[in-house]
C-alpha cells in the first residue's frame, strides 16, 4: 500500500503538471508569437509552419524599430498611463473613503450611480465623449487622451471594498490619538491599502495601455499616437509582413507582461484584501 | 430609489446629448445623416480671398505602412510641384475605424481627403461630409479632361446619378488565380470558365485527375459573391441594384433570376465541399492558402488582384501564374461576364466648408490621376492600373513584362468590358458581404445543409439590414 506521504507527493506533482499544462496553453499564443518573430520571412510563409528555425534573425525587430517610432509611441502611452492611473487612484481613494466613513444624504443613491456607471460599456459612450472632446478643443492633445480615464467606477468600487474591510478599531484608535479624517486617510488607511492600490494600478495600466479606439479617435497626428495605434499601422489588408507585426507586438506587450510579473503578488493581495473581514 | 436612479440616468443622457451638440455653427458634427438636398453643391459661388502662405492639407487613410510609403512618393511629388499646398497623409485605422471616425468628427476637424472602399460607395453617398468631385470638375475650366483614359468601369462605379463622387486610387479586382502549367497538363482552357459550374468542373477534373490535392482556396469574403452576381448580370436589389434610388427590397428570394443566381453560388460551395475539393473555407489566405498554391497542392485561389505580388513571391518561378476574373454566378444570359466589377479603394474630398482647402484637395486628385505619378502604387501593391495612362507608363509595362505577364488577360478583358456588372449600391453593402460570407461558411462547414434554407436566412438578414438602414436614414 502506498504511504500517505508518497500519495501526497504524487498528487502534488500531478496537480503541478496539470497547472503547468494549463499555463502553457494560456501562454501559447505569446510563445508562438515570440518564436515566429525570430523567423525569416521565407520560414514564415513556408508550409507547414515550424515552431523552431535553424536561422533565427533579428531583422523583423530592426525593421519594426526603423519603420515606426515605437519608442516615441511608448513614451506617449506611458505619459497617458501615469497621469490617468495617478488621477484614478487619488480620486477613487477620496471618493471611496467618503462612501465608507461618512454619512451623508443620498449616499445610497450616489453609490448606485457609481455602480450604474460600471455597467455602461465604454463603447456606448466613446463617440459622445469624442464629440465632447472635439467641442472643447482637446483633439490631438495629451489631456484628450487621458481625460476620460481619470476616474472610473471600478476603481471607486475596489477602494470602497477595501476600506470597508478595515477594522473599525483602527479608526477609533486613530481618533483617540488625535487623527482627523485626513490624518486617518493619509497616515493609516492609505499605507494599509498599498496592496489594493498596487493591484488597482496594475489593472488600470493594462486597461489603459491596451486602449485602441479612443487614442485612434483623439490622436490624428502621428506624434500623439500611442503604441497600440502605432503598431496597427504595420498591418495593411492586402500586404502582410507577419514577422514585423509579430516583432512589433512582442515589443508592445513587454511592458504589460513585466508589470504583471513584478506585480503579481500585489494583484493577488489586492484582489483578496477586500473580501477579508478584520 | 430605482425610479430616482432611472430619472437621473435619463437626465444625464439628455445633458450629455445637449453638451455634445456643439455650440457654434462651425462645429457642425458630420454624423451620418442624409443630405437634406443631395443635389446641393459644396463649391462656393464666389471665391473668398486666399489665405497667405502654403495651405496645409490632410488625407486620412486606412492604408498601412507599405501602401502609405508608396503613396508618399506621389504626395512628395505633388508638394514639390507647387508651393500653394502641402499635403500630409495620416493613418486612421482600418476601413471601418476610419468611417467611424469620419462619422463622428466635427466639420472643422475633418480631413481634406479620405479613402473609402470602391464597392461600398453606396454607404457614403448620403453623408454630409462628402464633397462630390463632379461639383469641382464642373467649375474647372479644363472640365473632365484629366479623367480621360480612366477605365469606364471605374468611372461608372465612382459615379452616382451620372456624376463622379470620388476617384479611384487603387483598383482591386476579384480574380481566380490558377496554376497555368497544371491547367495545360490537365487540358483545361481557362477561357472556358464562365460561371461557377464551369469553375467546379475544372476543379473536379484537376483533383480527380491527380494533378493536385485541392482544387481551390478562398480569400474569405462576401465581396466575391457580389462580383459573381454582377457578372451574371442580375439585379439583386430593387431600384436597379440601387443605381436608380434608395434600395428597399432584397431580391434573393424573388423566385426569378436573382434567386437562381444566389442559389447557383451557394450550390457551388455545397458541391465543392461535399466532394472535398476545396481548401477549408475561412483558411487564412496568406499563411494557409498561398503556400498551398505555391507548393502546387492547390490549383486555384479566389482572391483580389492586389494579392498577386505576394503570390508571385511565394511561387518563386516554380510555375506560371494565370489569372481570370471571378466567374459569373450562372450562365443565364449572353452578357455573362462581360462587365468589370470593381473593388479597391478610392480617394474622396471631404466637405470641410473651407474653399481653398477643398480646391487644394481637388488639385491633388487631378495630380494623382496622372499616370507617371501613380504607376509606382500599382506596381508596388499589385492593384490594377486605374487608367490607360498608368497602364502605358514605362514602370507598369516593365511590371507586366518582368513580374506578372498573366495579368495581361485582365487588361484584355478591361479594354472590351461594358458597364453591365453593377455591384449593389446601398448603405448596407458591408452587411451584405458579411451575410454572404456567413452563408458560405455554413454551407462549406456542413455541405449536407439545404441550400434554400441557408439562402432564406441570408435573404432575411440582408432584408433586415436594409429595413434598419432605411428606418434610421429616412429619405428627406
Amino acid at each position: 500500500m502506498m504511504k500517505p506521504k508518497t500519495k501526497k507527493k504524487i498528487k502534488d506533482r500531478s496537480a503541478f503538471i496539470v497547472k503547468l499544462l494549463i499555463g502553457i496553453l494560456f501562454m501559447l499564443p505569446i510563445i508562438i508569437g515570440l518564436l515566429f518573430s525570430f523567423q525569416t520571412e521565407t520560414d514564415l510563409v513556408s508550409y507547414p509552419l515550424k515552431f523552431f528555425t535553424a536561422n533565427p534573425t533579428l531583422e523583423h525587430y530592426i525593421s519594426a524599430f526603423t519603420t515606426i517610432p515605437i519608442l516615441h509611441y511608448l513614451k506617449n502611452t506611458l505619459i497617458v498611463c501615469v497621469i490617468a492611473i495617478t488621477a484614478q487612484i487619488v480620486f477613487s481613494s477620496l471618493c471611496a473613503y467618503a462612501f465608507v466613513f461618512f454619512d451623508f444624504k443620498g449616499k445610497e443613491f450616489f453609490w448606485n450611480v457609481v455602480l450604474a456607471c460600471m455597467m455602461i460599456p465604454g463603447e456606448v459612450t466613446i463617440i459622445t465623449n469624442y464629440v465632447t472632446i472635439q467641442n472643447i478643443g482637446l483633439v490631438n492633445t495629451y489631456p484628450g487622451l487621458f481625460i476620460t480615464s481619470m476616474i472610473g467606477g471600478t476603481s471607486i468600487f475596489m477602494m470602497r471594498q477595501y476600506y470597508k474591510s478595515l477594522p473599525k478599531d483602527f479608526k477609533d484608535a486613530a481618533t483617540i490619538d488625535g487623527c482627523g479624517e485626513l490624518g486617518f486617510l493619509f497616515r493609516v488607511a492609505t499605507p494599509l491599502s498599498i496592496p489594493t492600490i498596487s493591484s488597482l494600478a496594475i489593472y488600470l495600466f493594462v486597461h489603459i495601455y491596451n486602449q485602441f479606439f479612443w487614442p485612434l479617435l483623439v490622436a490624428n497626428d502621428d506624434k500623439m499616437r500611442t503604441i497600440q495605434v502605432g503598431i496597427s499601422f504595420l498591418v495593411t489588408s492586402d500586404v502582410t509582413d507577419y514577422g514585423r507585426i509579430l516583432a512589433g507586438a512582442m515589443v508592445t506587450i513587454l511592458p504589460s507582461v513585466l508589470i504583471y510579473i513584478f506585480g503579481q503578488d500585489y494583484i493577488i493581495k489586492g484582489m483578496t484584501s477586500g473580501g477579508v473581514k478584520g | 430609489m430605482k425610479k430616482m436612479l432611472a430619472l437621473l440616468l435619463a437626465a444625464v443622457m439628455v445633458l450629455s446629448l445637449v453638451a455634445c451638440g456643439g455650440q457654434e455653427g462651425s462645429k457642425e458634427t458630420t454624423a451620418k445623416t442624409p443630405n437634406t438636398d443631395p443635389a446641393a453643391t459644396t463649391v462656393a459661388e464666389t471665391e473668398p480671398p486666399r489665405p497667405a502662405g502654403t495651405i496645409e492639407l490632410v488625407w486620412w487613410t486606412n492604408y498601412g505602412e507599405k501602401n502609405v510609403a508608396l503613396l508618399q512618393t506621389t504626395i512628395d511629388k505633388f508638394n514639390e510641384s507647387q508651393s500653394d499646398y502641402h499635403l500630409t497623409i495620416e493613418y486612421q485605422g482600418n476601413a471601418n475605424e476610419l468611417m467611424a471616425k469620419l462619422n463622428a468628427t466635427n466639420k472643422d476637424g475633418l480631413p481634406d481627403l479620405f479613402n473609402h472602399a470602391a464597392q461600398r460607395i453606396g454607404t457614403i453617398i448620403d453623408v454630409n461630409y462628402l464633397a462630390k468631385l463632379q461639383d469641382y470638375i464642373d467649375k474647372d475650366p479644363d472640365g473632365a479632361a484629366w479623367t480621360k483614359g480612366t477605365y469606364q468601369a471605374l468611372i461608372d462605379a465612382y459615379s452616382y446619378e451620372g456624376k463622379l463622387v470620388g476617384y479611384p486610387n487603387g483598383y482591386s479586382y476579384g480574380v481566380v488565380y490558377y496554376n497555368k502549367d497544371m491547367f495545360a497538363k490537365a487540358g483545361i482552357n481557362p477561357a472556358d470558365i464562365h460561371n461557377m459550374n464551369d469553375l467546379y468542373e475544372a476543379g473536379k477534373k484537376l483533383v480527380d485527375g491527380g494533378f493536385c490535392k485541392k482544387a481551390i482556396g478562398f480569400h474569405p469574403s462576401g465581396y466575391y459573391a457580389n462580383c459573381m452576381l454582377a457578372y451574371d448580370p442580375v439585379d439583386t436589389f430593387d431600384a436597379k441594384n440601387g443605381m436608380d434610388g434608395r434600395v428597399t427590397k432584397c431580391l434573393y428570394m424573388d423566385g426569378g433570376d436573382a434567386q437562381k443566381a444566389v442559389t447557383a453560388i451557394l450550390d457551388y460551395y455545397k458541391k465543392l465541399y461535399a466532394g472535398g475539393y476545396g481548401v477549408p473555407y475561412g483558411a487564412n489566405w496568406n499563411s494557409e492558402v498561398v503556400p498551398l498554391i505555391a507548393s502546387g497542392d492547390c490549383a486555384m485561389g479566389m482572391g483580389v488582384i492586389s494579392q498577386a505580388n505576394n503570390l508571385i513571391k511565394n511561387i518563386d518561378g516554380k510555375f506560371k501564374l494565370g489569372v481570370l476574373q471571378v466567374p459569373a454566378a450562372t450562365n443565364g444570359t449572353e452578357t455573362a461576364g462581360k462587365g468589370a466589377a470593381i473593388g479597391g479603394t478610392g480617394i474622396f474630398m471631404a466637405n470641410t466648408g473651407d474653399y481653398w482647402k477643398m480646391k487644394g484637395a481637388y488639385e491633388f486628385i487631378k495630380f494623382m490621376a496622372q499616370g507617371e505619378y501613380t504607376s509606382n502604387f500599382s506596381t508596388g501593391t499589385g492593384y490594377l492600373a486605374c487608367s490607360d495612362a498608368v497602364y502605358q507608363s514605362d514602370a507598369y509595362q516593365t511590371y507586366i513584362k518582368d513580374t506578372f505577364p498573366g495579368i495581361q488577360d485582365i487588361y484584355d478583358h478591361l479594354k472590351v468590358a461594358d458597364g453591365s456588372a453593377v455591384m449593389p449600391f446601398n448603405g448596407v453593402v458591408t452587411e451584405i458581404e458579411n451575410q454572404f460570407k456567413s452563408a458560405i461558411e455554413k454551407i462549406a462547414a456542413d455541405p449536407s445543409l439545404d441550400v434554400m434554407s441557408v439562402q432564406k436566412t441570408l435573404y432575411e438578414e440582408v432584408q433586415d439590414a436594409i429595413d434598419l438602414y432605411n428606418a434610421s436614414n429616412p429619405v428627406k
Side-chain angles (χ1 to χ4, degrees), chain B residues 46-365:
Chain B
T46 51
E47 193 173 287
R50 191 188 183 286
T54 303
I55 296 167
E56 287 297 328
L57 304 174
V58 174
W59 174 2
W60 280 4
T61 186
N62 57 301
Y63 284 130
E65 179 267 331
K66 284 200 170 179
N67 290 1
V68 164
L70 292 164
L71 289 171
Q72 191 62 51
T73 314
T74 311
I75 293 169
D76 290 344
K77 284 175 183 166
F78 173 72
N79 290 340
E80 285 161 17
S81 70
Q82 42 72 51
S83 56
D84 291 340
Y85 306 101
H86 181 266
L87 177 65
T88 310
I89 189 164
E90 289 175 350
Y91 168 74
Q92 301 294 347
N94 66 28
N96 292 333
E97 287 151 2
L98 171 59
M99 282 305 106
K101 188 163 176 170
L102 282 165
N103 282 331
T105 300
N106 286 338
K107 193 167 183 174
D108 56 3
L110 283 172
D112 304 290
L113 293 158
F114 65 93
N115 280 124
H116 188 71
Q119 65 273 26
R120 295 178 189 168
I121 293 174
T123 61
I124 57 163
I125 202 70
D126 283 338
V127 297
N128 56 12
Y129 59 74
L130 174 72
K132 296 182 179 80
L133 192 62
Q134 189 70 44
D135 294 341
Y136 285 80
I137 293 173
D138 293 344
K139 294 267 177 184
D140 189 337
D142 298 331
W146 62 271
T147 63
K148 207 178 163 194
T150 307
Y151 294 121
Q152 193 55 44
L154 288 174
I155 295 288
D156 292 343
Y158 281 81
S159 298
Y160 183 63
E161 294 175 343
K163 292 181 170 185
L164 261 185
V165 292
Y167 190 77
N169 79 301
Y171 184 5
S172 197
Y173 201 67
V175 293
V176 175
Y177 296 102
Y178 63 93
N179 184 324
K180 252 186 170 175
D181 299 352
M182 197 187 288
F183 265 49
K185 271 185 209 162
I188 298 169
N189 181 4
D192 293 338
I193 298 174
H194 300 292
N195 58 49
M196 296 308 288
N197 193 49
D198 295 340
L199 187 68
Y200 170 76
E201 292 298 338
K204 188 173 182 296
K205 191 173 177 183
L206 287 161
V207 176
D208 291 351
F211 296 96
C212 55
K213 291 175 188 164
K214 294 287 178 191
I216 188 165
F218 300 91
H219 173 234
S221 165
Y223 159 71
Y224 304 99
N226 280 336
C227 293
M228 295 164 199
L229 294 167
Y231 285 137
D232 237 23
V234 62
D235 288 343
T236 41
F237 296 92
D238 62 346
K240 283 200 176 168
N241 250 3
M243 297 308 289
D244 280 359
R246 181 68 71 88
V247 159
T248 58
K249 274 184 197 162
C250 171
L251 306 177
Y252 291 172
M253 293 295 286
D254 70 338
D257 288 343
Q259 182 172 331
K260 277 182 206 157
V262 174
T263 306
I265 294 170
L266 296 176
D267 208 39
Y268 164 78
Y269 287 99
K270 184 183 168 87
K271 282 190 293 184
L272 187 81
Y273 286 100
Y277 298 119
V279 175
Y281 193 84
N284 185 282
W285 175 266
N286 284 315
S287 63
E288 295 174 271
V289 180
V290 168
L292 281 171
I293 297 172
S295 66
D297 287 336
C298 178
M300 296 179 277
M302 189 180 287
V304 283
I305 199 70
S306 50
Q307 291 161 334
N309 284 359
N310 187 34
L311 195 51
I312 292 165
K313 190 175 135 192
N314 279 272
I315 291 167
D316 198 22
K318 289 193 281 279
F319 56 84
K320 282 183 190 153
L321 182 70
V323 63
L324 54 113
Q325 73 174 34
V326 167
T330 69
N331 202 11
T333 69
E334 286 180 0
T335 52
K338 287 189 178 173
I342 52 93
T345 310
I347 184 166
F348 296 83
M349 289 169 60
N351 181 15
T352 60
D354 185 319
Y355 176 88
W356 288 102
K357 281 184 168 241
M358 290 171 79
K359 193 171 188 307
Y362 174 68
E363 292 300 332
F364 174 72
I365 294 176

Side-chain angles (χ1 to χ4, degrees), chain A residues 45 47 67 109 112-113 128 130-132 134-135 212 216-217 220 225 232-233 235-236 238-240 242 244, chain B residues 1 8 19-20 22 27 60 64-67 90-93 97 101 104-106 284 286 291 306 314 383:
Chain A
V45 294
Y47 188 81
T67 308
F109 168 74
N112 281 324
V113 172
T128 324
Y130 175 52
V131 175
T132 309
Q134 288 178 85
N135 286 343
F212 176 77
L216 178 76
L217 281 176
N220 297 334
R225 291 269 152 84
S232 72
F233 183 53
V235 184
T236 291
D238 297 335
V239 190
T240 312
Y242 288 112
R244 196 168 47 164
Chain B
M1 181 55 71
L8 183 91
C20 297
K27 289 183 176 176
W60 280 4
E65 179 267 331
K66 284 200 170 179
N67 290 1
E90 289 175 350
Y91 168 74
Q92 301 294 347
E97 287 151 2
K101 188 163 176 170
T105 300
N106 286 338
N284 185 282
N286 284 315
S306 50
N314 279 272
Y383 277 123

Side-chain angles (χ1 to χ4, degrees), chain A residues 44 49 57 68 132 165 182 194:
Chain A
L44 285 171
L49 284 164
T57 175
I68 56 168
T132 309
S165 73
L182 284 177
I194 291 295

